Amino acid sequence: MPLLSATNLSKSYGAADIFTGVSLSVPNRARIGLVGPNGIGKTTLMRILLGQEEPSSGEVQRSRGMRMGYLPQNATLDSDRSLWEELLSVFDELITAQKRLAELEHSMAQEQDEARLEVALEAYGRLQADFERQGGYTYEARIRQTVAGLGFSQEDYSRPLRQLSGGQRTRALLAKLLLSSPDLLMLDEPTNHLDIAATEWLESYLREWEGAVMLISHDRYFLDQVTDTIIELFPSVNLYHGNYSAYIQQRQARWDRLQQIFTSEKEQLDKDLDYVKRNISGQNVRQAKGRLKRLSRKVEAIQHLGIEAVHGKNWSEIVEDADVSENPMGVDEVESIIHSLKMPSSRPLQLKLHLKSAPRSGDLVVRTQNLQVGYLDEGKPLFSVADMILLRGECAGVVGPNGAGKTTFLKTLLGQIPPYSGEVVLGANLHLGYFAQAHESLNPEHTLMAEIEQAAPNLRPGEIRDYLAKFLFSGDDVYKKIAVLSGGERGRLALACLALTDANLLLLDEPTNHLDLPSQEVLQTVLADFNGTILLVSHDRYLIDALATQIWEVNPEAAALRVFQGSYSDFRALRQAEQEALRQEQTAQKQAAGAIIAKESAVVKANGRANNNRERARRQRLIDIEAEIADLEASFASISKQLESTALDPAKAHQLGQDYMNTQSTLEQRMQEWGQLSEEE
């Protein structure tokens, strides 16, 4: 039985239909991506499935006792507690059970009656088994793993949630949802406030998730890594098996098939009409009238049902069930209807974006030498840049965590900010086109018409309206002020202005932010065909992987930018190999440290043989305890380090959590014994 199923859902606001006829099923362990253009109703559908909003018609059935968790797109976690206290509250029942276990341990230690002690031991055993099964020995480790994976530092643990930024509080809510382990996790744009490292951690976490996941996301790479089913909400519901890349291929095949069916059916109508027109007054008049009657019934049925209802079907089959007149139409009327039949749109409206590149000579585009990026008045640079060269036709993808200085780096290359030190050399005849993340180049007081007129003074008002229509602005939209536009609308307008520059060097800062998936796909296609040079700062790994010929990684810990020649997939594989090599090196170092401790302990033991028996025993025990404490501390440090890793699977995290608790308890006992023996000296 599925966790959730929906049948023939529709949602309307007044006379406006948001969606109709939506049916779907969510089985256990589902990994579903919900996609479609902005405004199609994805968030509304998710809220209906959750029970937070009522459908206009249809029904939703939910499995009895199912627990659902929901991350809204713009939600934040509000609480007077600290981050750690808030996340700890998820495990209130476990904490209560932990206290009960401690009480039982104390009472059993005082119990003298064997019968009552046996009863208490049985109760303790059952409670302990439930406690362990529910993760009682690992919940603190799970919290540490989750908050580290989502980009929080240990300093954030004690900070009140109200002091955190909006993005941090959204991540805190996501952490709380993940720790609560619902049966069905519903996520609306979960990567909005995550950098690449945190997003990759979440991908890994969701792949191992025991429950079901349904998510809405504009992050195509994230959809590729997490989902195995795509539900497309446009113009009706279509289900595709596989990840996002598989969906793109299947969708194109579906579009081609629908085009082929429509063309074939329309050609048959034209062929039948041609026969009728040629023979209606000739020797084959009887056959022509019979065919006209059948043709009349068919086109009347199509007209009655609507072309959308018969799209993708055999039009001859629909006549049998259609309620049509027995009186055939005339030839002219039939011909008029046939000529009016247009293929319904199976695709969302798309940007009509074209980027022209101004001609230039020479292959050099950008060269840096001894470059340091930063602000002179801050006293030290943000990072150093390895000497590098960007040539004509290449695309460099700039990656790194939020706040690392990627935008500052772009502005340094543009000459808007002077280098902290070193130099930037630009090639000859460069025409720069800059797409700013915050779209600060747009004048908020301008209308869309005025903004385009400023960028292209030679265009007449009618031409400006036609141009804006290519970017999905129509009607009175062109007279809106930029200040009232949504993030996606600002992004499309900025692209419209960029396309007027004829630039041969594009510097793009998060160009896909706020764009829906169809617009992202169009932008990717246009940039792939662009014959100039591109410098791309983006969290959109799908776009970077498709375009970049080299990766420039900003590493704030090393205060450096390094250059990798190759695609993003190649870069990611190299980074994973480096991380694995580092883990192996750390393990070898810990083993070597353990060998040194063992050797020192052996020397201490040999020196102790000269003491008398009692003193020798005491000192020997001290030495043994010190060695054991050293081993325990090394083990404790190793376990803690592993728990901070963002690549742990849940089973490994559970085992490490048990090891953590056991090691901590043993270490405390040995420290207490060491103190008692030291006082006897």
Side-chain angles (χ1 to χ4, degrees), residues 83-130:
L83 173 64
W84 181 263
E85 290 168 342
E86 185 65 31
L87 298 182
L88 204 61
S89 69
V90 173
F91 304 101
D92 281 345
E93 292 184 3
L94 279 177
I95 293 171
T96 300
Q98 191 173 30
K99 292 178 180 177
R100 178 58 181 155
L101 283 171
E103 291 170 357
L104 284 173
E105 289 169 359
H106 179 73
S107 63
M108 287 189 298
Q110 307 299 321
E111 184 60 65
Q112 300 296 322
D113 186 283
E114 290 188 5
R116 283 185 291 189
L117 180 60
E118 185 174 346
V119 172
L121 281 170
E122 290 181 2
Y124 181 85
R126 290 192 298 270
L127 183 59
Q128 186 183 45
D130 287 342

CSV table of all heavy atoms in Angstrom, one decimal, residues 83-130:
chain,number,residue,atom,x,y,z
A,83,LEU,N,20.5,26.6,19.1
A,83,LEU,CA,20.4,25.6,18.0
A,83,LEU,C,20.5,24.2,18.6
A,83,LEU,O,19.7,23.3,18.2
A,83,LEU,CB,21.6,25.8,17.1
A,83,LEU,CG,21.8,24.8,16.0
A,83,LEU,CD1,20.6,24.8,15.0
A,83,LEU,CD2,23.1,25.0,15.2
A,84,TRP,N,21.5,23.9,19.5
A,84,TRP,CA,21.6,22.6,20.1
A,84,TRP,C,20.4,22.2,20.9
A,84,TRP,O,19.9,21.1,20.7
A,84,TRP,CB,22.9,22.5,21.0
A,84,TRP,CG,23.1,21.2,21.6
A,84,TRP,CD1,22.7,20.8,22.8
A,84,TRP,CD2,23.7,20.1,20.9
A,84,TRP,NE1,23.1,19.4,23.0
A,84,TRP,CE2,23.7,19.0,21.9
A,84,TRP,CE3,24.3,19.9,19.7
A,84,TRP,CZ2,24.3,17.8,21.6
A,84,TRP,CZ3,24.8,18.6,19.4
A,84,TRP,CH2,24.8,17.6,20.3
A,85,GLU,N,19.8,23.1,21.7
A,85,GLU,CA,18.7,22.8,22.5
A,85,GLU,C,17.5,22.5,21.6
A,85,GLU,O,16.7,21.5,21.9
A,85,GLU,CB,18.3,23.9,23.4
A,85,GLU,CG,19.3,24.1,24.5
A,85,GLU,CD,19.2,25.5,25.3
A,85,GLU,OE1,18.5,26.4,24.7
A,85,GLU,OE2,19.7,25.6,26.4
A,86,GLU,N,17.3,23.2,20.5
A,86,GLU,CA,16.2,23.0,19.6
A,86,GLU,C,16.3,21.6,19.0
A,86,GLU,O,15.3,20.9,18.9
A,86,GLU,CB,16.1,24.1,18.6
A,86,GLU,CG,14.9,24.0,17.7
A,86,GLU,CD,13.6,24.3,18.4
A,86,GLU,OE1,13.6,25.0,19.4
A,86,GLU,OE2,12.6,23.7,18.0
A,87,LEU,N,17.5,21.3,18.5
A,87,LEU,CA,17.6,20.0,17.8
A,87,LEU,C,17.5,18.8,18.8
A,87,LEU,O,17.1,17.8,18.5
A,87,LEU,CB,18.9,20.0,17.1
A,87,LEU,CG,19.1,21.0,15.9
A,87,LEU,CD1,20.4,20.8,15.2
A,87,LEU,CD2,17.9,20.9,14.9
A,88,LEU,N,18.0,19.1,20.1
A,88,LEU,CA,17.9,18.1,21.1
A,88,LEU,C,16.5,17.8,21.5
A,88,LEU,O,16.1,16.6,21.9
A,88,LEU,CB,18.7,18.5,22.3
A,88,LEU,CG,19.2,17.5,23.3
A,88,LEU,CD1,20.2,16.6,22.6
A,88,LEU,CD2,19.9,18.2,24.5
A,89,SER,N,15.6,18.8,21.3
A,89,SER,CA,14.2,18.5,21.6
A,89,SER,C,13.5,17.5,20.7
A,89,SER,O,12.5,16.9,21.1
A,89,SER,CB,13.4,19.9,21.5
A,89,SER,OG,13.3,20.2,20.1
A,90,VAL,N,14.1,17.2,19.6
A,90,VAL,CA,13.6,16.1,18.7
A,90,VAL,C,13.6,14.8,19.5
A,90,VAL,O,12.8,13.9,19.3
A,90,VAL,CB,14.4,16.0,17.4
A,90,VAL,CG1,14.0,14.8,16.6
A,90,VAL,CG2,14.2,17.3,16.6
A,91,PHE,N,14.6,14.6,20.4
A,91,PHE,CA,14.8,13.4,21.1
A,91,PHE,C,14.3,13.4,22.6
A,91,PHE,O,14.9,12.8,23.4
A,91,PHE,CB,16.3,13.0,21.0
A,91,PHE,CG,16.8,12.9,19.6
A,91,PHE,CD1,17.6,14.0,19.1
A,91,PHE,CD2,16.5,11.8,18.8
A,91,PHE,CE1,18.0,13.9,17.8
A,91,PHE,CE2,17.0,11.8,17.5
A,91,PHE,CZ,17.8,12.8,17.0
A,92,ASP,N,13.3,14.2,22.8
A,92,ASP,CA,12.8,14.3,24.2
A,92,ASP,C,12.4,13.0,24.8
A,92,ASP,O,12.7,12.7,26.0
A,92,ASP,CB,11.6,15.3,24.3
A,92,ASP,CG,12.0,16.7,24.2
A,92,ASP,OD1,13.2,17.0,24.4
A,92,ASP,OD2,11.1,17.6,23.9
A,93,GLU,N,11.8,12.1,24.0
A,93,GLU,CA,11.4,10.8,24.5
A,93,GLU,C,12.6,10.0,24.9
A,93,GLU,O,12.7,9.2,25.9
A,93,GLU,CB,10.5,10.1,23.5
A,93,GLU,CG,9.1,10.7,23.4
A,93,GLU,CD,8.3,9.9,22.4
A,93,GLU,OE1,8.7,8.8,22.0
A,93,GLU,OE2,7.1,10.4,22.1
A,94,LEU,N,13.7,10.0,24.0
A,94,LEU,CA,14.9,9.3,24.3
A,94,LEU,C,15.6,9.8,25.6
A,94,LEU,O,16.1,9.0,26.4
A,94,LEU,CB,15.8,9.4,23.1
A,94,LEU,CG,15.6,8.4,22.0
A,94,LEU,CD1,16.5,8.7,20.8
A,94,LEU,CD2,15.7,7.0,22.4
A,95,ILE,N,15.6,11.1,25.7
A,95,ILE,CA,16.2,11.7,26.9
A,95,ILE,C,15.5,11.3,28.2
A,95,ILE,O,16.1,11.0,29.2
A,95,ILE,CB,16.3,13.3,26.7
A,95,ILE,CG1,17.2,13.6,25.6
A,95,ILE,CG2,16.7,13.9,28.0
A,95,ILE,CD1,17.1,15.1,25.2
A,96,THR,N,14.1,11.3,28.1
A,96,THR,CA,13.4,10.8,29.2
A,96,THR,C,13.7,9.3,29.6
A,96,THR,O,13.9,9.0,30.7
A,96,THR,CB,11.9,10.9,28.9
A,96,THR,OG1,11.6,12.3,28.7
A,96,THR,CG2,11.0,10.4,30.1
A,97,ALA,N,13.8,8.5,28.5
A,97,ALA,CA,14.2,7.1,28.7
A,97,ALA,C,15.6,7.0,29.3
A,97,ALA,O,15.9,6.1,30.1
A,97,ALA,CB,14.1,6.3,27.4
A,98,GLN,N,16.5,7.8,28.9
A,98,GLN,CA,17.9,7.8,29.4
A,98,GLN,C,17.9,8.1,30.9
A,98,GLN,O,18.6,7.5,31.6
A,98,GLN,CB,18.7,8.8,28.6
A,98,GLN,CG,20.2,8.7,28.8
A,98,GLN,CD,21.0,9.7,27.9
A,98,GLN,OE1,20.5,10.7,27.5
A,98,GLN,NE2,22.2,9.2,27.5
A,99,LYS,N,17.1,9.1,31.3
A,99,LYS,CA,17.0,9.4,32.7
A,99,LYS,C,16.4,8.3,33.5
A,99,LYS,O,16.8,8.0,34.6
A,99,LYS,CB,16.2,10.7,32.9
A,99,LYS,CG,16.8,12.0,32.3
A,99,LYS,CD,15.9,13.2,32.5
A,99,LYS,CE,16.5,14.4,32.0
A,99,LYS,NZ,15.6,15.6,32.1
A,100,ARG,N,15.4,7.6,32.9
A,100,ARG,CA,14.8,6.5,33.6
A,100,ARG,C,15.8,5.3,33.7
A,100,ARG,O,15.8,4.7,34.8
A,100,ARG,CB,13.6,6.0,32.8
A,100,ARG,CG,12.8,4.8,33.3
A,100,ARG,CD,12.4,5.0,34.7
A,100,ARG,NE,11.7,3.8,35.2
A,100,ARG,CZ,11.6,3.5,36.5
A,100,ARG,NH1,12.1,4.3,37.4
A,100,ARG,NH2,10.9,2.4,36.9
A,101,LEU,N,16.6,5.1,32.7
A,101,LEU,CA,17.7,4.1,32.9
A,101,LEU,C,18.6,4.4,34.0
A,101,LEU,O,19.0,3.5,34.8
A,101,LEU,CB,18.4,4.0,31.5
A,101,LEU,CG,17.7,3.2,30.4
A,101,LEU,CD1,18.5,3.4,29.1
A,101,LEU,CD2,17.6,1.7,30.7
A,102,ALA,N,19.0,5.7,34.1
A,102,ALA,CA,19.9,6.1,35.2
A,102,ALA,C,19.3,5.9,36.5
A,102,ALA,O,19.9,5.4,37.5
A,102,ALA,CB,20.3,7.5,35.0
A,103,GLU,N,18.0,6.2,36.7
A,103,GLU,CA,17.3,6.0,37.9
A,103,GLU,C,17.2,4.5,38.3
A,103,GLU,O,17.4,4.1,39.5
A,103,GLU,CB,15.8,6.5,37.8
A,103,GLU,CG,15.8,8.0,37.7
A,103,GLU,CD,14.4,8.5,37.4
A,103,GLU,OE1,13.5,7.7,37.2
A,103,GLU,OE2,14.2,9.8,37.3
A,104,LEU,N,17.0,3.6,37.3
A,104,LEU,CA,16.9,2.2,37.5
A,104,LEU,C,18.3,1.7,38.0
A,104,LEU,O,18.4,0.8,38.8
A,104,LEU,CB,16.5,1.5,36.3
A,104,LEU,CG,15.0,1.5,36.0
A,104,LEU,CD1,14.7,0.9,34.6
A,104,LEU,CD2,14.2,0.8,37.1
A,105,GLU,N,19.4,2.2,37.3
A,105,GLU,CA,20.7,1.8,37.7
A,105,GLU,C,21.0,2.1,39.1
A,105,GLU,O,21.6,1.3,39.9
A,105,GLU,CB,21.7,2.5,36.8
A,105,GLU,CG,21.7,1.9,35.3
A,105,GLU,CD,22.5,2.8,34.4
A,105,GLU,OE1,23.1,3.8,34.9
A,105,GLU,OE2,22.6,2.5,33.2
A,106,HIS,N,20.6,3.3,39.6
A,106,HIS,CA,20.8,3.7,40.9
A,106,HIS,C,20.0,2.9,41.9
A,106,HIS,O,20.6,2.4,43.0
A,106,HIS,CB,20.4,5.2,41.1
A,106,HIS,CG,20.6,5.7,42.5
A,106,HIS,ND1,21.9,6.0,43.1
A,106,HIS,CD2,19.7,6.0,43.5
A,106,HIS,CE1,21.7,6.4,44.3
A,106,HIS,NE2,20.4,6.4,44.6
A,107,SER,N,18.8,2.6,41.6
A,107,SER,CA,17.9,1.8,42.5
A,107,SER,C,18.4,0.4,42.6
A,107,SER,O,18.4,-0.2,43.7
A,107,SER,CB,16.5,1.9,42.1
A,107,SER,OG,16.3,1.3,40.8
A,108,MET,N,18.9,-0.2,41.5
A,108,MET,CA,19.4,-1.6,41.5
A,108,MET,C,20.7,-1.7,42.3
A,108,MET,O,20.9,-2.7,43.0
A,108,MET,CB,19.6,-2.0,40.1
A,108,MET,CG,18.4,-2.3,39.3
A,108,MET,SD,18.7,-3.1,37.7
A,108,MET,CE,19.6,-1.9,36.8
A,109,ALA,N,21.5,-0.6,42.3
A,109,ALA,CA,22.7,-0.6,43.1
A,109,ALA,C,22.4,-0.7,44.6
A,109,ALA,O,23.2,-1.2,45.4
A,109,ALA,CB,23.6,0.6,42.8
A,110,GLN,N,21.2,-0.1,45.0
A,110,GLN,CA,20.8,-0.1,46.4
A,110,GLN,C,20.0,-1.3,46.8
A,110,GLN,O,19.8,-1.5,48.0
A,110,GLN,CB,20.1,1.2,46.7
A,110,GLN,CG,20.8,2.5,46.2
A,110,GLN,CD,22.1,2.7,46.9
A,110,GLN,OE1,22.2,2.4,48.1
A,110,GLN,NE2,23.1,3.2,46.2
A,111,GLU,N,19.4,-2.0,45.8
A,111,GLU,CA,18.5,-3.1,46.1
A,111,GLU,C,19.2,-4.3,46.7
A,111,GLU,O,20.2,-4.8,46.2
A,111,GLU,CB,17.8,-3.5,44.8
A,111,GLU,CG,16.7,-4.6,45.0
A,111,GLU,CD,15.6,-4.1,45.9
A,111,GLU,OE1,14.9,-3.1,45.6
A,111,GLU,OE2,15.5,-4.7,47.0
A,112,GLN,N,18.6,-4.8,47.9
A,112,GLN,CA,19.2,-5.9,48.6
A,112,GLN,C,18.4,-7.2,48.3
A,112,GLN,O,18.9,-8.3,48.4
A,112,GLN,CB,19.3,-5.6,50.1
A,112,GLN,CG,20.1,-4.4,50.4
A,112,GLN,CD,21.6,-4.6,50.1
A,112,GLN,OE1,22.1,-5.7,50.2
A,112,GLN,NE2,22.2,-3.6,49.6
A,113,ASP,N,17.1,-7.0,48.0
A,113,ASP,CA,16.2,-8.2,47.8
A,113,ASP,C,16.5,-8.7,46.4
A,113,ASP,O,16.3,-8.0,45.4
A,113,ASP,CB,14.8,-7.8,47.9
A,113,ASP,CG,13.8,-8.9,47.9
A,113,ASP,OD1,13.6,-9.4,46.8
A,113,ASP,OD2,13.4,-9.4,48.9
A,114,GLU,N,16.9,-10.0,46.3
A,114,GLU,CA,17.2,-10.6,45.0
A,114,GLU,C,16.1,-10.7,44.1
A,114,GLU,O,16.2,-10.6,42.9
A,114,GLU,CB,17.9,-12.0,45.3
A,114,GLU,CG,19.2,-12.0,45.9
A,114,GLU,CD,19.9,-13.3,46.0
A,114,GLU,OE1,19.3,-14.3,45.4
A,114,GLU,OE2,21.0,-13.4,46.5
A,115,ALA,N,14.9,-11.1,44.6
A,115,ALA,CA,13.7,-11.2,43.8
A,115,ALA,C,13.3,-9.9,43.1
A,115,ALA,O,13.1,-9.8,41.9
A,115,ALA,CB,12.5,-11.7,44.6
A,116,ARG,N,13.3,-8.8,43.9
A,116,ARG,CA,13.0,-7.5,43.4
A,116,ARG,C,14.1,-7.0,42.4
A,116,ARG,O,13.9,-6.3,41.5
A,116,ARG,CB,12.8,-6.5,44.5
A,116,ARG,CG,11.4,-6.7,45.2
A,116,ARG,CD,11.1,-5.6,46.2
A,116,ARG,NE,12.0,-5.7,47.3
A,116,ARG,CZ,11.8,-5.0,48.4
A,116,ARG,NH1,10.9,-4.1,48.5
A,116,ARG,NH2,12.6,-5.2,49.5
A,117,LEU,N,15.3,-7.4,42.7
A,117,LEU,CA,16.4,-7.0,41.8
A,117,LEU,C,16.3,-7.7,40.5
A,117,LEU,O,16.6,-7.1,39.4
A,117,LEU,CB,17.8,-7.4,42.5
A,117,LEU,CG,19.0,-7.1,41.7
A,117,LEU,CD1,19.1,-5.6,41.4
A,117,LEU,CD2,20.3,-7.6,42.4
A,118,GLU,N,15.9,-9.0,40.5
A,118,GLU,CA,15.7,-9.7,39.2
A,118,GLU,C,14.6,-9.1,38.4
A,118,GLU,O,14.7,-8.9,37.2
A,118,GLU,CB,15.3,-11.2,39.5
A,118,GLU,CG,15.3,-12.0,38.3
A,118,GLU,CD,15.0,-13.5,38.6
A,118,GLU,OE1,15.2,-13.9,39.7
A,118,GLU,OE2,14.7,-14.2,37.6
A,119,VAL,N,13.5,-8.6,39.0
A,119,VAL,CA,12.4,-8.0,38.3
A,119,VAL,C,12.9,-6.6,37.7
A,119,VAL,O,12.6,-6.3,36.6
A,119,VAL,CB,11.2,-7.7,39.3
A,119,VAL,CG1,10.2,-6.8,38.6
A,119,VAL,CG2,10.6,-9.0,39.7
A,120,ALA,N,13.7,-5.9,38.5
A,120,ALA,CA,14.2,-4.6,38.1
A,120,ALA,C,15.2,-4.8,36.9
A,120,ALA,O,15.2,-4.0,36.0
A,120,ALA,CB,14.9,-3.9,39.2
A,121,LEU,N,16.0,-5.9,37.0
A,121,LEU,CA,16.9,-6.2,35.9
A,121,LEU,C,16.2,-6.5,34.6
A,121,LEU,O,16.6,-6.0,33.5
A,121,LEU,CB,17.8,-7.3,36.2
A,121,LEU,CG,19.0,-7.0,37.2
A,121,LEU,CD1,19.6,-8.3,37.7
A,121,LEU,CD2,20.0,-6.1,36.5
A,122,GLU,N,15.1,-7.2,34.7
A,122,GLU,CA,14.3,-7.5,33.5
A,122,GLU,C,13.7,-6.2,32.9
A,122,GLU,O,13.7,-6.0,31.6
A,122,GLU,CB,13.2,-8.5,33.8
A,122,GLU,CG,13.7,-9.9,34.1
A,122,GLU,CD,12.5,-10.9,34.4
A,122,GLU,OE1,11.3,-10.4,34.4
A,122,GLU,OE2,12.8,-12.0,34.7
A,123,ALA,N,13.1,-5.4,33.7
A,123,ALA,CA,12.6,-4.1,33.3
A,123,ALA,C,13.7,-3.2,32.6
A,123,ALA,O,13.5,-2.6,31.6
A,123,ALA,CB,11.9,-3.4,34.4
A,124,TYR,N,14.8,-3.2,33.3
A,124,TYR,CA,16.0,-2.4,32.8
A,124,TYR,C,16.4,-3.0,31.4
A,124,TYR,O,16.7,-2.2,30.5
A,124,TYR,CB,17.1,-2.5,33.8
A,124,TYR,CG,18.3,-1.7,33.3
A,124,TYR,CD1,18.4,-0.4,33.6
A,124,TYR,CD2,19.4,-2.3,32.7
A,124,TYR,CE1,19.5,0.4,33.2
A,124,TYR,CE2,20.5,-1.6,32.3
A,124,TYR,CZ,20.6,-0.3,32.6
A,124,TYR,OH,21.7,0.4,32.2
A,125,GLY,N,16.5,-4.3,31.3
A,125,GLY,CA,16.9,-4.9,30.0
A,125,GLY,C,16.0,-4.5,28.8
A,125,GLY,O,16.4,-4.2,27.7
A,126,ARG,N,14.6,-4.5,29.1
A,126,ARG,CA,13.7,-4.2,28.1
A,126,ARG,C,13.8,-2.7,27.7
A,126,ARG,O,13.8,-2.3,26.5
A,126,ARG,CB,12.2,-4.5,28.5
A,126,ARG,CG,11.9,-5.9,28.7
A,126,ARG,CD,10.4,-6.2,28.8
A,126,ARG,NE,9.9,-5.5,30.1
A,126,ARG,CZ,9.9,-6.1,31.3
A,126,ARG,NH1,10.3,-7.4,31.4
A,126,ARG,NH2,9.4,-5.5,32.3
A,127,LEU,N,13.9,-1.8,28.7
A,127,LEU,CA,14.0,-0.4,28.5
A,127,LEU,C,15.3,-0.1,27.7
A,127,LEU,O,15.3,0.7,26.8
A,127,LEU,CB,14.0,0.4,29.8
A,127,LEU,CG,14.0,1.9,29.7
A,127,LEU,CD1,12.9,2.4,28.9
A,127,LEU,CD2,14.0,2.5,31.1
A,128,GLN,N,16.4,-0.8,28.1
A,128,GLN,CA,17.7,-0.5,27.4
A,128,GLN,C,17.6,-1.0,26.0
A,128,GLN,O,18.2,-0.3,25.1
A,128,GLN,CB,18.8,-1.2,28.2
A,128,GLN,CG,20.2,-0.9,27.6
A,128,GLN,CD,21.3,-1.7,28.4
A,128,GLN,OE1,21.1,-2.9,28.6
A,128,GLN,NE2,22.4,-1.0,28.7
A,129,ALA,N,17.0,-2.1,25.7
A,129,ALA,CA,16.9,-2.6,24.3
A,129,ALA,C,16.1,-1.6,23.5
A,129,ALA,O,16.5,-1.4,22.3
A,129,ALA,CB,16.2,-4.0,24.3
A,130,ASP,N,15.0,-1.1,24.0
A,130,ASP,CA,14.2,-0.1,23.2
A,130,ASP,C,15.0,1.2,23.0
A,130,ASP,O,15.0,1.8,22.0
A,130,ASP,CB,12.9,0.2,24.0
A,130,ASP,CG,11.9,-0.9,23.9
A,130,ASP,OD1,12.0,-1.8,23.0
A,130,ASP,OD2,11.0,-0.9,24.8
